[in-house]
Amino acid sequence: MSVLLLLLSALVLIYLGVGGTVAAVVMAVATVLGLIQDDWHLLSVLAGGVLLALALILVLPGDLRRNKLSRPLLGWVRSRLPKLSDTEREALKSGSVDWDGELFSGRPDWNRLLDAQPAHLTQEEQAFLDGPVETLCAMLDDWKITHEHYDLPDKVWKYIREHGFFGLVIPKADGGLGFSATAHSEIVMKISTRSVSTAVTVMVPNSLGPGELLMHYGTDEQKQHYLPRLAKGEEIPCFALTSPVAGSDAGAIPDKGIVCKGTWNGEAVLGLKVTWNKRYITLAPVATLIGLAIKVYDPDHLLGETDEIGVTCVLVPRDTEGVNAGARHLPMNTVFMNGPTWGTDVFIPMSQVIGGQDMLGKGWTMLLECLSIGRSISLPALGTGAGKLASLATGAYAYTREQFGRSISQFEGVQEALEPIAGYTYMMDAARLLTSGMLDRGVRPSVPSAVLKYRNTDRMREVINHAMDVVAGRGVITGPRNFLARAYQAVPIGITVEGANILTRSLMIFGQGAIRCHPFIVQEIEAAGMDDEERAVRQFDGTFYRHLAHTTRNALRAFLLGLTRGWLEPVPRQGGIAGCYRQLARFSAAFAFLTDVTLLTVGGGLKARQRLSGRMADALVHMYYASAVIKQWHDEGYPEDQRPLVTWCLQTCLRDLQQSLRAAILNFPVPALRWPLRLLVFPLGATGLNGPDDRLGTEVARTIVDDTPVRARIGRGTYINTAPDDPLGRVLNAYRLARETADMRARLHEAIRNRNEDELDNIALLMGHERKELVDWACAQGIVTADECPKLEAALTALYDVIRVDAFDGDGLKALARCAKGKRKVVERPPRE
């Protein structure tokens, strides 16, 4: 009994997270009670006493534990911890941990999520959306921009500059608008529903341009000179990171700057001789100020004894001698300015290093801090905007399009496609707002930024593909009527840029998150890397045993919560979704436990285990998006009409979360651990979480078909133009008229079905070509009244117009060719000597 009570008390203490002196006293009392029960039997005294002594050594710090256990363990841990590159070490120091840390903890504090300040707009920000953004959207004709101008019209460029679109986030004191991250996201999202090319043009200076770097790291002189000019559009910035040979491995960039002396504005100064070759750089063809990431070298030791100083961010004015730019890439036929830039031995002074000479070699940290902001806002906003546009347009089109005498929105096959369009759009919006809210609270979400970039762009792809399935032939014909073409073409751009999704999923999210968000790993890595052995042992000793308890606690929680379907976990009661909270808590414990097992067994080989890393990344993504949906519903006051959407999203996330963890365990790289892991994580089997059923799926599909507040909520933030000649307006106008005349058209269809075959042939002819005659016939037959005829005719005309597609005759195609003539010349850069 002494052993049994000791073990039980230890397990309870670990589960509750109690340690230190309190735990020592409780275990000692439990052991004594067991000895009393055993009448102080010698075997009980020996076994209980030995186990208690070992437990006390583990629980209570001291020289014995430090020298006999911690010192040899430190050597073993050093061999198991992942080996970090210099860029990865910098990544660990950058950014901050927020809700992602709670998910990695295994015991998320839901009140922290629910009580966090939600994303919101100020009156000034809302007025900007309702005013200048609305006006800008009205100026845009995506067909002409893409197929005739191959650029934004001059009046659009002028409007963007004059109304501060390039200075959304630059502080007011520096001439900008000083808007929040949420406002930045809303603005980009709304513009993207009108024109992807314009949205990219606006978003880059506010997230990927030098402005963000200057705001946080620039010298006072740099800020005073450049920020007002950037805010007013007097300078157009770009930032060049990607090199042809380095690709996604930004740490391997070959672009360099050699410390030397040179002449700048007639003065001899210390500076850098810079050589670079960059591509895929947005705004490079028109940029007047080029930001560069380069590696700085000091072979002549003008600054010190170090030859390689490291990654550095510099500013190069476009008019500097030797700078080459102006040629353009055409990313999937979107026409935002994008192209290469290069230069050889271009001299710039140290004053052009962002932050000045003291920031030499600190560029990687600067980039990681600022890129996390851009990745949290720009592409996630584009993905959400595409989802909102697809939801409004495709739901309306499905309602108006009739086949076999019925709206296709009533077909289960179509509903099966509409369902994820609505559900994933709601998810994307929730995750976007959760993360922008973090940014507005001062969080630098390095891991959530990767999660959001990867998932929102991936969900954009799925939503647009489903929309194309529903719209079918109407969506594949090029022309000014097509409301999906540009979003469809832009999908691969979002998937590829700012860190390709394959690498973001398989290397970044879990690989960095497992270390960055873990409550103990960073301290252990620091201890392992210390030269002072005594200091290293002390730090390791103060961390390792808490880590051990953390891992054991999560194993217990995963097993017990799996057995009870989470019923042991106290969770919030708001919203009536306690079961979802419990499952998320259960899987958070399982995820945290699997993270520790992975780091323990795979260790430095994790980079090569990209399938495992990708599945664990997916698990984190599903937990994050489920949390975002809960947060969004909470912030909006739990409106009951959104319940089907919320339930669908949570059930989908839980199903996919279960599948990701199951796949990670079934393919775990240490085969001997697969069955024990399955037993701990899925003690009752991987069952019970099957996702939404057909009834719920039908409800969710109807949310973007029926004209309800939920449809408006899903599409909130979309630019709406109801003009009948607008690509989206044409569909929305037909949708409005179709709903207003639903009863009249039903009477008309019923009358047609009851006519004889000869009459039907004539009526079919009328329906296909002469809507006025058909309405006149219906009026003469008493099917509709004279007062109803004008609206019915307008509706039938609009319904026919909405299914029409563009067709070009020979002269029209020649005109398009003339627009492109001279604008698509291939420019080859001479090879570098």
Side-chain angles (χ1 to χ4, degrees), residues 450-674:
V451 167
L452 206 64
K453 186 273 170 182
Y454 156 57
R455 199 56 170 180
N456 264 30
T457 55
D458 191 59
R459 286 306 188 213
M460 173 187 177
R461 170 164 55 188
E462 293 193 46
V463 164
I464 295 299
N465 281 341
H466 284 302
M468 291 292 285
D469 287 346
V470 174
V471 177
R474 175 69 170 78
V476 299
I477 303 300
T478 294
R481 289 172 170 267
N482 196 319
F483 51 83
L484 284 178
R486 203 62 53 241
Y488 185 80
Q489 286 185 306
V491 164
I493 301 171
I495 297 291
T496 302
V497 302
E498 292 187 37
N501 276 11
I502 288 178
L503 294 184
T504 299
R505 173 183 179 265
S506 60
L507 286 176
M508 293 181 61
I509 295 175
F510 182 70
Q512 292 183 12
I515 299 173
R516 185 73 183 84
C517 299
H518 197 286
F520 304 109
I521 286 289
V522 172
Q523 297 96 307
E524 290 169 348
I525 289 177
E526 289 175 350
M530 289 179 179
D531 295 328
D532 186 334
E533 187 68 12
E534 290 304 317
R535 184 181 167 209
V537 170
R538 283 195 298 272
Q539 177 160 324
F540 178 77
D541 182 77
T543 303
F544 178 76
Y545 301 96
R546 289 186 294 143
H547 185 173
L548 188 63
H550 167 82
T551 304
T552 308
R553 179 170 63 251
N554 282 324
L556 284 172
R557 282 174 52 78
F559 180 70
L560 293 176
L561 294 178
L563 276 177
T564 62
R565 301 293 187 190
W567 282 97
L568 293 178
E569 184 75 2
V571 295
R573 295 290 178 179
Q574 303 100 307
I577 52 172
C580 293
Y581 277 119
R582 293 190 181 104
Q583 291 290 356
L584 286 170
R586 164 203 171 187
F587 283 126
S588 174
F591 175 79
F593 172 63
L594 282 174
T595 297
D596 277 326
V597 173
T598 298
L599 293 174
L600 178 67
T601 58
V602 178
L606 182 59
K607 292 179 186 177
R609 300 290 185 177
Q610 293 173 21
R611 291 178 186 266
L612 171 62
S613 182
R615 288 168 180 139
M616 293 295 285
D618 286 340
L620 178 63
V621 164
H622 300 318
M623 289 191 292
Y624 189 84
Y625 274 64
S627 303
V629 169
I630 290 171
K631 172 65 171 170
Q632 177 169 264
W633 200 34
H634 170 78
D635 290 343
E636 296 189 9
Y638 302 103
E640 191 62 27
D641 58 359
Q642 291 182 25
R643 183 177 293 277
L645 267 173
V646 171
T647 303
W648 187 93
C649 291
L650 294 177
Q651 289 184 3
T652 298
C653 287
L654 288 172
R655 177 200 63 202
D656 295 344
L657 171 55
Q658 176 179 262
Q659 291 175 350
S660 296
L661 291 179
R662 182 174 181 271
I665 292 171
L666 290 177
N667 296 279
F668 199 75
V670 183
L673 292 178
R674 292 172 186 172

Side-chain angles (χ1 to χ4, degrees), residues 401 748-749 752 759-775 796-797 799-801 803-804:
R401 183 73 169 105
L748 178 60
H749 289 316
I752 292 172
E759 289 179 301
L760 284 177
D761 288 341
N762 294 329
I763 293 169
L765 183 63
L766 292 174
M767 291 183 69
H769 301 283
E770 303 294 342
R771 281 161 296 283
K772 184 177 186 309
E773 285 80 354
L774 177 62
V775 172
L796 293 177
T797 300
L799 292 176
Y800 178 72
D801 185 58
I803 64 173
R804 291 178 57 201

Side-chain angles (χ1 to χ4, degrees), residues 2-21:
S2 62
V3 173
L4 179 61
L5 289 179
L6 172 60
L7 291 176
L8 287 175
S9 65
L11 291 175
V12 171
L13 289 166
I14 290 173
Y15 187 89
L16 296 176
V18 177
T21 305

Side-chain angles (χ1 to χ4, degrees), residues 31 263 276 300 358 444 470 505 592 632 739 785 816:
T31 304
T263 302
W276 73 94
D300 296 330
D358 291 342
R444 300 278 179 171
V470 174
R505 173 183 179 265
Q632 177 169 264
R739 298 198 69 86
T785 67
L816 285 177

Side-chain angles (χ1 to χ4, degrees), residues 435-446:
T435 313
S436 70
M438 288 182 190
L439 288 164
D440 290 340
R441 297 196 306 272
V443 177
R444 300 278 179 171
S446 55

